[in-house]
Amino acid sequence: MDSQSLHSKASQDTLVSLVQLDPTPMESPNVDKDLPPLPEHPEGEDTGSPPSETSKSRTNTSSTAATTASVGLSGGGSSHGAIYYLTRIQRYSSYTFSLFATLHLATTSIVPLVARSVPASESYLLLAREIYQTPLSEPLLVALPLVAHVGSGVAVRLLRRLQNLRRYGYHGDGGKGAGHAHHRGDKTSSPSSPSIFAILRSGWPSLSYISLSGYGFAAILAAHVGMNRGLPLAVEGDSANVGLAFVAHGFARHPAVSWLAYAALLGLGCGHMVWGYAKWFGAAQGAGWKLDRHTGNAAADKQRKDRRRRRLLLVNAVATVATAVWAAGGLGVVARGGPTLGWVGKLYDDLFGTIPGF
């Protein structure tokens, strides 16, 4: 009797401990894993007829192999898919770009915040340019990592969509795939052809905040690079005269556009970079204001919800601090530096005058 009660108590303790586990939810889609392949029907087999013993064996073997590969138990003979390598390109290119971002943060925010003057900070910006704006370092530290990061992210989304369409078809019939009935072998129903709008909408993976902020940041960063680097090269053939004073001149001459553009640049940029690093190091997974799933145990659910909220607030706090630090020097000092006078100021006005609407 005592033995049975002990076993019963041990089982209850084990169940409670399993219920209180806080699993780290995987993002949708998975970060770097391809979807396992679907079981294929042998050639010549009628999908509407009952499967033979041989086809059952093949299907079971294929399903078992796909399941084993999807959980990482396939052994050393399996090769990684394209998404695995694209995700690593996206990750390590962000590390390389961070070297440039750190130098740029220091010379456009930290130094002006300490010096409290735009002219006194220009020499530090010119010194940093000798590191990241040479014919060799600019492509390696800035252009190539940026193109690789954005391009690999877009490629992962396209591959995910292709995998979803291969599995589920086009959602043109009330949420079911267009080829869903045929895949089940249902000969009595004929799905309607999806419209072009349904085809364009179907199959896309969910768009997270990190992805949304990344696309927004890429757009505003392209405009920033075009204004401060591309425009002087196109008009003057050189960008040596463009620095912090050029930014301050833009705020003085065109305050509304400048404040809006740089607020978006700092907010989207710092938010994307902080949340991106949180994702790479596992801090973004499991962050949220609400529970992703309920266990049925009120105490365990409350603990998990509190942990998710603390993690969400922590990452957002880091992003807010990063934005505030960059804005303190960039918007608090540089943006208030005033217009540049003389021939340099006229040069700046001519550069802005080449942009339609200025």
Side-chain angles (χ1 to χ4, degrees):
M1 187 68 177
D2 293 340
S3 176
Q4 290 181 353
S5 62
L6 288 175
H7 285 301
S8 177
K9 185 176 185 305
S11 301
Q12 291 177 358
D13 292 341
T14 303
L15 178 60
V16 170
S17 63
L18 290 175
V19 168
Q20 291 179 346
L21 284 177
D22 186 18
T24 300
M26 294 184 296
E27 287 192 351
S28 179
N30 268 346
V31 174
D32 57 0
K33 292 184 180 179
D34 295 275
L35 293 175
L38 288 171
E40 297 180 356
H41 295 284
E43 291 186 4
E45 182 179 335
D46 186 3
T47 57
S49 60
S52 62
E53 293 298 327
T54 303
S55 64
K56 285 182 179 179
S57 176
R58 291 176 179 174
T59 301
N60 291 337
T61 303
S62 176
S63 300
T64 303
T67 304
T68 304
S70 67
V71 298
L73 300 177
S74 56
S78 63
S79 60
H80 296 295
I83 291 179
Y84 175 88
Y85 295 105
L86 285 171
T87 305
R88 271 145 185 78
I89 291 174
Q90 189 180 32
R91 176 171 185 166
Y92 294 113
S93 62
S94 66
Y95 296 162
T96 307
F97 185 78
S98 296
L99 298 176
F100 159 75
T102 303
L103 286 173
H104 204 55
L105 167 65
T107 55
T108 60
S109 177
I110 304 299
V111 172
L113 188 61
V114 174
R116 308 298 298 177
S117 170
V118 171
S121 306
E122 289 280 15
S123 59
Y124 295 94
L125 179 62
L126 295 176
L127 181 63
R129 284 180 175 177
E130 295 299 322
I131 300 176
Y132 63 74
Q133 211 172 81
T134 67
L136 179 62
S137 62
E138 189 172 26
L140 293 179
L141 291 179
V142 185
L144 186 59
L146 191 61
V147 172
H149 186 75
V150 177
S152 58
V154 172
V156 167
R157 285 191 60 81
L158 292 175
L159 286 176
R160 284 294 186 194
R161 181 176 187 259
L162 181 60
Q163 290 179 346
N164 290 338
L165 292 179
R166 285 177 176 174
R167 283 180 162 265
Y168 310 115
Y170 300 109
H171 295 272
D173 52 348
K176 295 180 180 179
H180 196 63
H182 178 71
H183 181 72
R184 294 195 310 265
D186 188 0
K187 295 183 177 180
T188 61
S189 61
S190 177
S192 60
S193 299
S195 65
I196 184 64
F197 300 103
I199 293 175
L200 294 176
R201 290 197 308 265
S202 296
W204 291 105
S206 59
L207 198 60
S208 64
Y209 164 78
I210 299 177
S211 299
L212 278 174
S213 62
Y215 293 132
F217 179 48
I220 197 70
L221 181 62
H224 176 72
V225 173
M227 176 68 74
N228 292 273
R229 183 71 170 141
L231 183 64
L233 287 176
V235 176
E236 299 293 331
D238 190 11
S239 61
N241 292 319
V242 174
L244 298 178
F246 177 70
V247 177
H249 191 84
F251 273 95
R253 292 286 189 260
H254 311 281
V257 176
S258 297
W259 278 98
L260 180 62
Y262 277 91
L265 179 67
L266 297 185
L268 290 173
C270 292
H272 178 72
M273 287 186 284
V274 170
W275 273 98
Y277 268 95
K279 175 183 176 181
W280 296 142
F281 292 101
Q285 288 80 358
W289 196 252
K290 298 180 180 180
L291 283 177
D292 54 341
R293 65 180 67 88
H294 292 272
T295 63
N297 186 308
D301 286 345
K302 186 179 184 305
Q303 290 179 359
R304 290 183 58 245
K305 184 170 66 174
D306 291 342
R307 281 195 293 268
R308 287 173 60 83
R309 289 185 175 184
R310 283 196 300 267
R311 185 172 293 188
L312 175 68
L313 293 175
L314 177 61
V315 178
N316 281 332
V318 174
T320 302
V321 169
T323 305
V325 170
W326 208 320
L331 301 181
V333 178
V334 177
R336 302 176 185 273
T340 300
L341 304 178
W343 69 270
V344 178
K346 187 178 184 305
L347 172 65
Y348 292 164
D349 289 331
D350 293 340
L351 286 176
F352 284 113
T354 60
I355 303 173
F358 276 74

